[in-house]
Structure formats: C-alpha cells, structure tokens
Amino acid sequence: MTADGNRLRPQDLLRVTPHHSGGAVVLAATGEVDLLSAPVLSEAITKALEGAPALLVVDLTEVSFLASIGITVLLEARRTGGDRTRVRVVAPEHGVVSRTLQLTGLHEALAVTTTRDDALAG
C-alpha cells in the first residue's frame, strides 16, 4: 500500500523510458525490478524488440534493486533478440545491479557495460 492508502502499482516501483539512438533502442529504467515490477521491464523490452533494432540497450544505471525475476527478464531479452538484435545491459561498476550480476556469474553472458556510451559503441 502507498502512504495515501492506495494499492501499489508496478509502475510506482519501476519506470522504463525508451530512447532511440541511430539503429539502437535504449531503455532507461528507474526504480526497483522485483516480482511486482518486472512485467514493466519485460513489456518495454518486448515492445522494443518488435521493431528488430540492431542493438537494444537496457540501461539499469538508476535501478536500486534487481531481483532474480529481473535477471530472468534480461536473459529472455537476449534469447528473444537472437541473431537480429544484440542486447547490452548497462550497470555502473560499483552499483547494486553490477554486483548482483557478478555474483550470479551473468556479467559476461548479459554483455554488461558500465556506461550507456560503451554499450552503444559495442
């Protein structure tokens, strides 16, 4: 519940804003990726991949928590992108998301970079 007594909605926990940069789509996420909010990220990724961009960058710089369901969403994005769309994840080096991905051993599998510029260049 929120402070005003209303039910908490997924969009209250996570916002995903798409940006286009050349042949790439950048999804900038802000908030927490947990069981309730993961569908917000998943839907944004699905919509972005419908356009078959050459590159999809999921920027998690402003994400303060990444649950295992969020990792599953990222792995699914990579699988769905297949050979058509390269998927990169942005997670600052000393942030919570980067640490989570390193601990799970998925840092390399998800092509994690520390900045959006590095993701767009790669």
Side-chain angles (χ1 to χ4, degrees):
M1 295 293 246
T2 60
D4 60 3
N6 290 320
R7 177 170 239 160
L8 194 62
R9 301 171 307 154
Q11 8 345 1
D12 296 331
L13 296 173
L14 182 70
R15 282 188 322 275
V16 180
T17 307
H19 303 279
H20 296 272
S21 179
V25 174
V26 177
L27 298 177
T30 303
E32 300 177 2
V33 182
D34 62 11
L35 189 59
L36 182 62
S37 64
V40 173
L41 180 60
S42 182
E43 289 170 21
I45 289 170
T46 298
K47 185 173 180 179
L49 289 174
E50 285 174 357
L55 175 64
L56 172 62
V57 175
V58 182
D59 188 343
L60 303 178
T61 300
E62 298 297 321
V63 169
S64 59
F65 178 75
L66 180 67
S68 60
I69 187 70
I71 294 169
T72 300
V73 168
L74 296 173
L75 289 169
E76 181 66 18
R78 186 170 168 258
R79 187 190 67 74
T80 302
D83 294 333
R84 306 174 308 182
T85 303
R86 291 176 296 134
V87 177
R88 302 278 186 264
V89 174
V90 178
E93 187 174 354
H94 299 291
V96 171
V97 172
S98 181
R99 178 143 170 82
T100 300
L101 294 174
Q102 286 174 345
L103 289 172
T104 59
L106 293 171
H107 212 265
E108 287 184 32
L110 289 171
V112 177
T113 64
T114 57
T115 68
R116 186 182 295 188
D117 287 342
D118 287 346
L120 289 168

